[in-house]
Amino acid sequence: PGMAVGLLTKPVVFSEMATNDKFVNAEIVFLLSITEPKQEVIWLSRLATLFQTPGLLKHLKSLPDPETFRDVFLDELEKAQA
């Protein structure tokens, strides 16, 4: 699987997945490139678990460059899977 990440300068309102009446202000967008349909649920679950880490998204937004973002993100993702 592949992933692209976008850090937004201004939050964008998105509806929560599987709802029409709950909204979130997205500041980071993750685009997944998954070739096997069964992997979609696994990756969404991993990301949902990761995003529950207190302070993580704020920390990711504060990182100085894409390389550091990638390294920290992958490290945190690995910890969340353990």
Side-chain angles (χ1 to χ4, degrees):
M3 182 183 309
V5 179
L7 298 175
L8 307 178
T9 55
K10 293 181 183 178
V12 174
V13 177
F14 277 91
S15 62
E16 285 188 12
M17 214 166 135
T19 73
N20 290 327
D21 60 345
K22 293 182 182 178
F23 300 92
V24 295
N25 290 318
E27 297 179 56
I28 303 177
V29 177
F30 294 83
L31 303 171
L32 302 176
S33 172
I34 298 172
T35 57
E36 294 184 36
K38 292 179 182 179
Q39 290 291 314
E40 180 181 0
V41 172
I42 293 168
W43 276 96
L44 290 174
S45 176
R46 287 178 180 167
L47 291 173
T49 298
L50 182 65
F51 298 153
Q52 298 303 312
T53 305
L56 178 63
L57 293 176
K58 184 176 181 179
H59 177 61
L60 290 174
K61 289 182 358 182
S62 73
L63 296 172
D65 55 66
E67 292 79 16
T68 304
F69 183 102
R70 178 197 62 225
D71 293 346
V72 170
F73 180 80
L74 291 176
D75 184 53
E76 292 294 331
L77 185 60
E78 189 171 309
K79 284 190 233 176
Q81 293 178 48

